[in-house]
Amino acid sequence: MKTLLFILAQVPVPKDLDLPLPMPEWFLVGVLVVSFLLHIIFVDLMVGGVLLTLWFEWKGLRNKGYDALAHEIAKTVTVNKSLAVVLGVAPLLAINTLYTIYFYSANALTGLAWIMIIPLVTVAFLLTYAHKYSWEKLAQQKELHLAIIGVSALIFLFIPFIFLTNVNLMLFPEKWGTVKGFLEALMLPNVLPRYLFFIVGTLAVTGLFLFWYFGRQSYEFEEKLPDLNRYQVRKMFYGLAFGALAVQVALVGPILISTLPSKGISPTLVVTLLAGVALVAPALYWMWQDMTSPNPVHLDRHFGKVASLMLVTVLVMGSGRHIYRANAIEPHRELMAEKTAAYRELIAQHAQAMQNNPSGELLADAGGSAGEAVFQKNCSACHAQDVKVVGPPVTEMVSIYKNDPEGLKKWIKAPGKKRSDAPQMPGFAQLSDDELQALSEYILHIN
């Protein structure tokens, strides 16, 4: 049934890479979930730190105390940025290894936007350093200083769109044949809710971090921030974390779940997400108790438990993300496995035919294996028998070249561009005359 649905939907089904995984799959999945958890925490702190730096520096135009607070937050951004980059290597390698065809297909389809990540990240990082180290030099040119961190913040807010669009697109092979570039992929279901979930989560994580950061006994708060009150500042960041978490649970989370395409939803996923929500509930309760306590000493009475619960929650939600990804891709992986197995069989038949034919000639009538093998190896990723995939169906080729096999071979070796709605076909000048003969005979014998 799943196979039929995919065929009806004209899903591109490439062959898988015929290589074994370098490690057990369960191990790579564990690496992906845990390393991504660590990576995303520092990404949250980096993005959230930039946004709060901008906000408090703007407030500092009227109250110098907030300008000093912005400076202290800015000092954390570059450190968290470095950790985010280093910790991003492991999940990137893991997802590349586990989902090679899907990840790189999405990369190719988002094209220029995906490539732009490197220069965008580079510019954003340089701007955060320029902003951090020009604080005193540009003290009398605050508009310029704010503009530097403002541009950096805009870039940091845009980059997640590219990542989320890419990882979302890899879940929908049925869209690969119709999506044309980053902007169309951006409009696929669930990208915008995922982005909103990320931004609100960023504020929650950064709020908790700054609550802890400014509460350390070793932090010389009164010396560095003499115009502000430590209790009020910490309560403000605790309140930010509380508010963001409450919005996440009550509004953004339900929107995200309700917009998830149903193909990846399973009972296991529902149980996992409910477990995540159940973990957040007591954390919110303890945070509310701490913030509303008349005794300032009680402000971080439950912080250890709250931080631990939030860490487990992020891990559970990360597991849920993987469950959805695996569920969504699994039917297509089954199709790809079938196609890969069929291709291996064709290659084996071709090898046997060659062994039985010492002259080495490729004969199209040898069970059709020679021409079919060439077709499967070079053409099947873009052409199907009677449906359009990337290029036209084979039946259309037959109608054009039925009485012109030489024209077909000439086109295969050096094609042009006929259709405005399809990419230009690459040339296959590397095919030998025998392979071209076998391929053209195979194609023209298809009805």
Side-chain angles (χ1 to χ4, degrees), residues 11-168:
V11 180
V13 184
K15 295 184 291 293
D16 201 357
L17 295 178
D18 201 9
L19 296 170
L21 289 174
M23 304 289 287
E25 183 171 351
W26 62 264
F27 179 80
L28 291 171
V29 170
V31 170
L32 175 59
V33 172
V34 174
S35 62
F36 183 75
L37 160 67
L38 298 174
H39 166 65
I40 200 64
I41 286 176
F42 286 98
V43 169
D44 285 342
L45 296 179
M46 175 182 67
V47 176
V50 168
L51 295 177
L52 291 178
T53 298
L54 176 62
W55 170 251
F56 285 114
E57 188 173 1
W58 180 77
K59 288 190 70 174
L61 295 175
R62 297 183 179 180
N63 183 335
K64 291 301 178 186
Y66 286 118
D67 186 78
L69 179 61
H71 194 186
E72 291 302 302
I73 296 173
K75 293 175 183 175
T76 69
V77 170
T78 49
V79 177
N80 290 326
K81 176 271 299 175
S82 299
L83 290 169
V85 171
V86 171
L87 293 171
V89 174
L92 188 61
L93 292 177
I95 200 169
N96 281 343
T97 306
L98 283 166
Y99 302 105
T100 308
I101 297 295
Y102 300 91
F103 191 70
Y104 282 103
S105 297
N107 291 175
L109 290 169
T110 50
L112 180 62
W114 181 252
I115 295 173
M116 285 298 294
I117 286 179
I118 298 299
L120 285 173
V121 166
T122 303
V123 171
F125 287 176
L126 291 175
L127 288 174
T128 58
Y129 280 112
H131 178 263
K132 175 182 173 181
Y133 291 113
S134 64
W135 207 284
E136 284 77 20
K137 289 183 179 179
L138 296 180
Q140 303 306 315
Q141 297 176 274
K142 271 299 179 183
E143 293 78 7
L144 175 59
H145 201 236
L146 276 166
I148 293 172
I149 194 65
V151 173
S152 176
L154 287 175
I155 296 174
F156 276 126
L157 287 173
F158 178 69
I159 291 172
F161 267 126
I162 303 177
F163 272 104
L164 290 174
T165 299
N166 199 69
V167 297
N168 191 63

Side-chain angles (χ1 to χ4, degrees), residues 412-446:
I412 293 170
K413 291 192 74 169
K417 181 173 174 59
K418 288 184 176 179
R419 296 170 175 80
S420 59
D421 61 342
Q424 180 169 339
M425 174 177 155
F428 289 84
Q430 75 277 14
L431 296 180
S432 67
D433 291 341
D434 288 339
E435 288 173 317
L436 272 175
Q437 179 67 26
L439 177 59
S440 62
E441 290 184 9
Y442 171 73
I443 290 174
L444 296 177
H445 277 80
I446 292 177

Side-chain angles (χ1 to χ4, degrees), residues 266-285:
S266 66
T268 304
L269 176 67
V270 173
V271 170
T272 303
L273 296 179
L274 290 176
V277 174
L279 288 169
V280 173
L284 284 170
Y285 174 71

Side-chain angles (χ1 to χ4, degrees), residues 350 353-366 370 434-435 438:
H350 180 59
M354 292 295 290
Q355 189 175 14
N356 295 337
N357 182 7
S359 65
E361 293 182 0
L362 293 169
L363 299 175
D365 59 357
D434 288 339
E435 288 173 317

